[in-house]
Structure formats: C-alpha cells, structure tokens
C-alpha cells in the first residue's frame, strides 16, 4: 500500500485496506495528538476553495497546523485570478509550485479530477458540486467506527437530499463495498439518489436498498441515521427549494421511534432538518463527527505526503 | 431515381431512415469539398426505408461518430469501382468532444480546457457516463 503522491478525487480511489489504514492512524492521532505535532513541519497545504466552506476548510487547516505544517490559499474565487477568467488547469499549475498538497472545493462537478490531471502534487477533492466529498466520507467512516465499532453489516438510513447530496453519494458508494450493508433511502420523489449511482450499487454490490418517502418507515430499523440538508444552492428554481425544504424534520418525538443505540449523523451545516432538542440526545453524534474530521484529515495528509 | 456508382470513396449504407441528414450535418460533409450524395427514404428489403450517403474520393470518416449515431449502418470503402473493404462500426467505448454533458453543473460545460469525454455505460440502452461528473447521458 503506497498512498504517497496519490490524488483523492473519489472514495473509490482508495481500497478498503487503505481506508482502514487511514482510520487506524486517525484513531491513534485522536489518542496521541501531541505525538504528531511536528510531523509535517516544513510542508504547506494549499486550500483552493471556489465555494464557501466552514468545516471542510477549517478542519483541513486545523489538521495541517496540528501537524506542524503551514497553510495558504483562497476561500473566495472572486478574490483570486479565477475572477479574471483563469482556467482550473492554469490555477493548479501555479499553485502546485507553492504547496506540497492541495485541497480543492469547486461548485463544478469533476473540477478536482481535472485539476489532478495537471497537478504535480496530491490533489484532494474537498467537495465538487453535488458529486463527491471523499474526505467527508472518511470522517463519516471514522465516526461510525468510533461509535458502532464496525463498518460492515450496518443498516443505514440516508435522509433528505439524496440527489445533490455529495456526502451521501460518496458515503453510500463506500459503505456498499463492506459486506452485508443495507440502505434505506428516504427522500422526496424529486431528490432521489441519481439513477447511475443506483444502477451501480445494484449491479456491483450485494447491498440491499429500500426507498422510502417517510422517515418513520426506516427509523425503527437502522443503526445509523444520516440526515442531510436540502441545499438551496443546488436548485435552479427557488420555488422548488421552498416546496421541498421542510420535507424531513427529526425531532425528539421521532427519536423515540429509533433504537436505543442508533446514532444520528449529519455532515453539517444543518438548517432545520434536526430540531435543536435532539442535540441533547446521546445518540446525536454530529458535533463529535465534525471534530473527528480533523483527525481523519491529519491522517490523510500524512499518508499522501508519505510521512512516517 | 438513380445515382451512379462511385469509382473511389465511401458508401455509408443501411442508415436508419431519418438519420442520414444528422450524419451529414455532424460530419460536416457539406464542407468536405468532395462530391457527396445523401439519399433519404430509399426502399430497403431489410429495413423498409433507409438512408445512404456516398462520398467520392474520400474515406477518412469519423467512425466513432457514425457508431454513435447509428451502430447498425455499414461502411463500404470503394476502390476501382468495387467494394475494397467493409469498415466495422460499433458503439464506441469512449467518445471525446462529440457531444456535451447534459449536466449543467459539470466542469466539462464550464472550463475552456476540457473536452467532454464519455465512457460507454450500457450498450443496450446506449448510455454514456461522463468522465468528470459521472452523470448518465443516453444517445438516441
């Protein structure tokens, strides 16, 4: 297994053994953070964020700073040469001379893959439109592993925007690679999982998929509930967003229907799909999940830079 | 109606009726500078009706494009007034730059450096998956 110098564009770029290695190191980093404080001294992480981000950008920055490295980049394409019409290829060919590893978020789907073609340093996809978000998947896997102690044989409900939800696409495609996965796909008709992904899951894996329109149909049967936000920025039509935005709201009443050891995850930010009263429930793990994102990104950076 | 045989060039035969004009336009045959004949709705025992294209003194047609539009057509290369060889046309495994991704959020529709590239997903449904955004596009 050699991750040094590789790109991470989709979770499929990693074998299950490689994912396992990243998670194992992340677990250790969580226990012994100080031991890694100088691991990346002298290295620079470039952050190319063409789209707003709080958690992904800050957790990458936190990860690199906790490893003793440094960070440069932009958080708004309007303040960079991109605003002058620079292509992705040109931007990455310049930036890869300034940084040792680059994370890119872009509203256009496939943009990090394009960047990786031209880059001389590892490119990490920090989320591309409604397509993929592999480091959120690693975060989610670390969270599930931490709270459930396994990644196989899980019954997982994905609820909300399954059409444009890149975190869902990346996670479901990865969990499907583990044995005996069962998925409940809870969404409005207009936001169902993309056809290609459904076909791919059905043809390539033995996982079971059940589509539901009501959250209550899935809630009593799952080990993990993965809530997502209906994303205003993915709609071309505001009327459609207004009609669908309140499709699912998880509250204390619905939580009573769930198993006592179920966990509730969310990639955040939430709007109103999880009522604040749920935060007090021990099964709500979305804030620890956000923290775990730092350790998994620390581990990923170390692997891609080939630091022992 | 009679059209004389060509001495050398190419005959694209058994084109599904109605697709001849599409091929003519997609291959930009009007701009070739060689004599070109497009026959439409020709009687065919096998197909009922078919289209035929004959191009004189030119053989370098884009077979990927032909396979994409109609994988059942036949391409005959003509030399010395006879069929010298038949070129096999199939649904191409990879298609580059021939059509745009239907996903408005795809980088292939936004970046000047990108040539839209597709991989055959399912030959039966003639669907292609975009190399960048992985969205499915069906070619009819």
């Amino acid at each position: 297994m050699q991750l040094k110098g590789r790109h991470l564009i989709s979770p499929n770029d990693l074998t299950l053994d490689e994912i396992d290695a990243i998670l194992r190191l992340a677990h250790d980093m969580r226990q012994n953070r100080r031991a890694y404080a100088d691991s990346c001294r002298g290295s620079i992480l470039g952050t190319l964020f063409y789209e707003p981000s709080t958690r992904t950008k800050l957790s990458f920055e936190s990860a690199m700073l906790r490893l003793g490295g440094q960070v440069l980049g932009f958080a708004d394409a309007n303040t960079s040469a991109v605003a002058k019409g620079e292509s992705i290829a040109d931007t990455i060919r310049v930036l890869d001379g300034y940084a040792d590893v680059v994370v890119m978020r872009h509203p256009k789907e496939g943009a990090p893959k394009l960047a990786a073609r031209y880059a001389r340093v590892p490119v990490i996809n920090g989320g591309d439109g409604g397509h993929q978000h592999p480091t959120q998947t690693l975060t989610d896997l670390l969270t599930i592993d931490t709270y459930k102690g396994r990644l196989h044989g899980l019954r997982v409900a994905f609820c909300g925007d399954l059409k444009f939800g890149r975190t869902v696409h990346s996670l479901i495609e990865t969990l499907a690679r583990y044995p005996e996965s069962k998925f409940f796909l809870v969404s409005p008709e207009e936001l169902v999982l993309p056809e290609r992904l459904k076909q791919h899951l059905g043809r390539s894996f033995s996982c079971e998929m059940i589509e539901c329109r009501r959250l209550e149909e899935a809630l009593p049967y799952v080990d993990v509930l993965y809530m997502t936000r209906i994303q205003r920025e993915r709609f071309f039509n505001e009327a459609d967003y207004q009609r669908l935005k309140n499709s699912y709201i998880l509250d204390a009443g619905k939580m009573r229907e769930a198993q006592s050891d179920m966990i509730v995850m969310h990639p955040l930010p939430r709007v109103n799909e999880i009522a604040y009263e749920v935060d007090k429930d021990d099964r709500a793990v979305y804030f620890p999940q956000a923290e775990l994102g730092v350790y998994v990104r620390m581990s990923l950076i170390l692997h891609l830079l080939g630091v022992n | 109606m009679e059209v004389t045989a060509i001495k050398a060039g190419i005959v694209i035969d058994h084109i599904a009726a109605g697709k001849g004009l599409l091929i003519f336009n997609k291959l930009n045959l009007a701009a070739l500078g060689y004599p070109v004949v497009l026959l439409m709705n020709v009687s065919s025992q096998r197909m009922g009706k078919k289209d035929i294209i004959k191009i004189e003194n030119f053989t370098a047609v884009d077979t990927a494009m032909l396979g994409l539009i109609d994988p059942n057509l036949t391409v005959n290369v003509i030399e010395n007034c006879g069929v010298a060889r038949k070129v096999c046309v199939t649904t191409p495994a990879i298609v580059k730059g021939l059509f745009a991704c239907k996903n408005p959020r795809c980088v292939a529709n936004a970046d000047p450096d990108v040539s839209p590239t597709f991989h055959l997903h399912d030959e039966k449904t003639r669907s292609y998956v975009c190399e960048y955004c992985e969205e499915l596009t069906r070619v009819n």
Side-chain angles (χ1 to χ4, degrees):
Chain A
M1 185 186 70
Q2 178 60 275
L3 282 167
K4 183 183 178 185
R6 296 220 330 239
H7 305 295
L8 178 60
I9 306 304
S10 147
N12 289 329
D13 294 336
L14 299 170
T15 65
L16 292 189
D17 283 343
E18 288 166 345
I19 289 173
D20 186 53
I22 291 168
L23 299 188
R24 269 189 285 116
L25 182 60
H27 279 303
D28 190 62
M29 287 172 149
R30 188 175 172 223
Q31 302 300 323
N32 307 294
R33 204 181 76 205
R34 300 273 173 217
Y36 297 91
D38 285 320
S39 300
C40 284
R41 190 160 300 284
S43 293
I44 296 174
L45 170 74
T47 57
L48 312 185
F49 279 71
Y50 292 74
E51 193 180 57
S53 164
T54 305
R55 269 150 299 277
T56 303
K57 183 172 184 296
L58 293 181
S59 64
F60 262 112
E61 291 180 358
S62 171
M64 194 51 161
L65 295 173
R66 286 190 190 285
L67 291 167
Q70 289 174 297
V71 180
L72 58 78
F74 58 81
D76 179 0
N78 293 323
T79 60
S80 72
V82 177
K84 299 172 188 162
E86 187 173 59
S87 70
I88 290 169
D90 283 2
T91 303
I92 198 76
R93 280 186 288 207
V94 171
L95 260 291
D96 72 1
Y98 301 166
D100 303 292
V101 55
V102 166
V103 56
M104 173 189 266
R105 167 167 290 190
H106 203 287
K108 293 296 178 187
E109 297 169 14
K113 186 170 193 173
L114 176 66
R117 293 239 165 96
Y118 294 94
R120 294 168 297 167
V121 300
V123 172
I124 302 168
N125 181 359
D128 58 332
H131 185 214
Q132 295 278 355
H133 197 345
T135 63
Q136 180 64 47
T137 295
L138 292 172
T139 301
D140 298 338
L141 295 176
L142 184 64
T143 306
I144 295 171
D145 195 36
T146 299
Y147 287 93
K148 304 302 291 183
R150 69 184 196 280
L151 295 171
H152 63 274
L154 290 165
R155 295 161 299 173
V156 183
F158 292 92
C159 177
D161 178 1
L162 310 190
K163 181 179 182 184
F164 300 118
R166 58 192 173 201
T167 60
V168 171
H169 303 164
S170 290
L171 181 57
I172 197 166
E173 216 176 340
T174 308
L175 280 176
R177 293 156 69 190
Y178 291 90
E180 297 168 55
S181 298
K182 182 172 180 175
F183 303 125
F184 292 83
L185 307 174
V186 188
S187 75
E189 185 77 44
E190 295 87 340
L191 296 175
V192 296
L193 203 66
E195 187 58 30
R196 182 207 67 82
L197 190 50
K198 240 187 286 183
Q199 281 183 18
H200 170 61
L201 294 175
R203 283 178 188 177
S204 309
F205 307 103
S206 57
C207 58
E208 196 179 334
M209 283 183 290
I210 298 168
E211 287 197 77
C212 317
R213 294 286 164 264
R214 294 176 62 244
L215 180 55
E216 291 84 340
E217 293 172 47
L219 209 44
Y221 310 108
V222 297
D223 305 301
V224 177
L225 171 60
Y226 197 89
M227 293 295 293
T228 61
R229 174 174 64 96
I230 308 286
Q231 304 170 89
R232 175 180 242 145
E233 64 273 27
R234 305 284 172 232
F235 285 85
F236 288 115
N237 183 338
E238 174 69 12
D240 286 343
Y241 168 71
Q242 291 297 335
R243 187 166 48 81
L244 296 170
K245 68 176 184 179
N246 295 325
S247 296
Y248 303 101
I249 296 174
L250 182 68
D251 56 22
K254 288 200 181 74
M255 285 296 283
R256 281 194 283 276
E257 304 293 316
Q259 294 180 13
S260 59
D261 61 347
M262 182 197 75
I263 57 170
V264 183
M265 296 171 64
H266 193 303
L268 302 178
R270 72 170 149 184
V271 181
N272 63 347
E273 59 278 2
I274 301 179
Y276 287 101
E277 63 193 18
V278 178
D279 298 355
K280 291 179 287 206
D281 194 307
D282 289 340
R283 293 170 291 179
V285 302
Y286 29 89
F287 292 118
Q289 178 187 354
E291 185 188 336
L292 289 167
V294 175
Y295 299 109
V296 93
R297 288 176 175 108
M298 286 169 71
S299 172
L300 178 66
I301 290 169
L302 272 198
H303 276 95
L304 297 185
L305 290 177
V307 178
N308 292 318
Chain B
M1 186 170 65
E2 271 193 30
V3 176
T4 55
I6 57 173
K7 288 179 185 169
I10 203 162
V11 175
I12 308 169
D13 200 356
H14 302 112
I15 304 169
K19 289 194 170 171
L21 188 59
L22 183 62
I23 291 172
F24 187 90
N25 289 330
K26 284 283 185 186
L27 297 184
N28 202 14
L29 298 182
L32 267 187
Y34 295 100
V36 180
V37 177
L38 165 60
L39 296 162
M40 299 175 72
N41 299 318
V42 178
S43 292
S44 163
Q45 262 190 329
R46 197 173 82 189
M47 302 170 68
K49 280 180 179 177
K50 65 176 182 179
D51 293 352
I52 302 171
I53 292 173
K54 297 184 178 190
I55 313 169
E56 200 162 47
N57 300 324
F58 179 81
T59 57
V61 290
D62 184 343
T63 50
M65 175 63 92
L66 290 177
L68 198 64
I69 296 172
D70 185 355
N72 300 314
L73 56 77
T74 53
V75 178
N76 300 313
V77 177
I78 310 296
E79 288 172 11
N80 302 318
C81 301
V83 178
R85 64 182 185 278
K86 289 181 182 289
V87 177
C88 209
V89 175
T90 52
T91 308
I94 298 175
V95 177
K96 197 168 184 181
L98 296 185
F99 56 88
C101 181
K102 69 169 188 181
N103 176 6
R105 293 174 302 279
C106 179
V107 72
N109 290 321
D111 196 276
D113 270 353
V114 187
S115 180
T117 305
F118 301 87
H119 299 265
L120 185 61
H121 175 71
D122 187 341
E123 194 163 1
K124 205 182 280 179
T125 59
R126 291 167 56 71
S127 56
Y128 282 84
V129 62
C130 173
E131 175 158 317
Y132 295 97
C133 71
E134 300 183 286
E135 189 94 359
L136 277 187
T137 298
R138 286 196 170 84
V139 183
N140 295 311

